[in-house]
Amino acid sequence: MQTEEIRQLIQRALPGSQVQVQDMVGDGNHFQAIVVAEAFAGLSMIQQHRLINEALKAQLDSGQLHALSLKTYAPDQWQRVQGSL
């Protein structure tokens, strides 16, 4: 898979989200994504990750996407994280 394809799939599932995707090993199978979405407001981290995993279910089930490390934030959480850096 390509990083852009993963980014687009997540953005389709979470309109208005900000998504950054990196290929961690350069093999097209192991990725990291940072996702900032209003839809995450009030949700636990597990619920946030489930939304993304559902968007990528076909790719995960088929093995096309082997591993995806996630960092998810509601916009206010993201602002706090950015302010602490």
Side-chain angles (χ1 to χ4, degrees):
M1 288 196 78
Q2 300 294 318
T3 57
E4 182 61 20
E5 183 180 1
I6 295 168
R7 186 186 68 75
Q8 289 177 0
L9 288 167
I10 294 170
Q11 284 184 319
R12 272 189 228 134
L14 300 167
S17 62
Q18 298 174 13
V19 183
Q20 300 172 16
V21 181
Q22 288 182 290
D23 187 335
M24 298 305 293
V25 190
D27 66 355
N29 288 312
H30 298 81
F31 296 91
Q32 177 182 35
I34 299 172
V35 183
V36 180
E38 189 64 45
F40 295 154
L43 299 180
S44 71
M45 185 178 7
I46 291 172
Q47 291 170 317
Q48 294 171 11
H49 289 202
R50 283 182 181 155
L51 287 175
I52 295 170
N53 287 336
E54 186 60 33
L56 299 168
K57 185 174 178 13
Q59 291 75 17
L60 290 164
D61 288 350
S62 72
Q64 184 180 10
L65 176 58
H66 177 70
L68 179 64
S69 170
L70 294 171
K71 293 183 181 180
T72 56
Y73 305 93
D76 61 329
Q77 293 171 317
W78 181 244
Q79 286 181 352
R80 284 195 300 273
V81 168
Q82 293 301 299
S84 67
L85 296 179

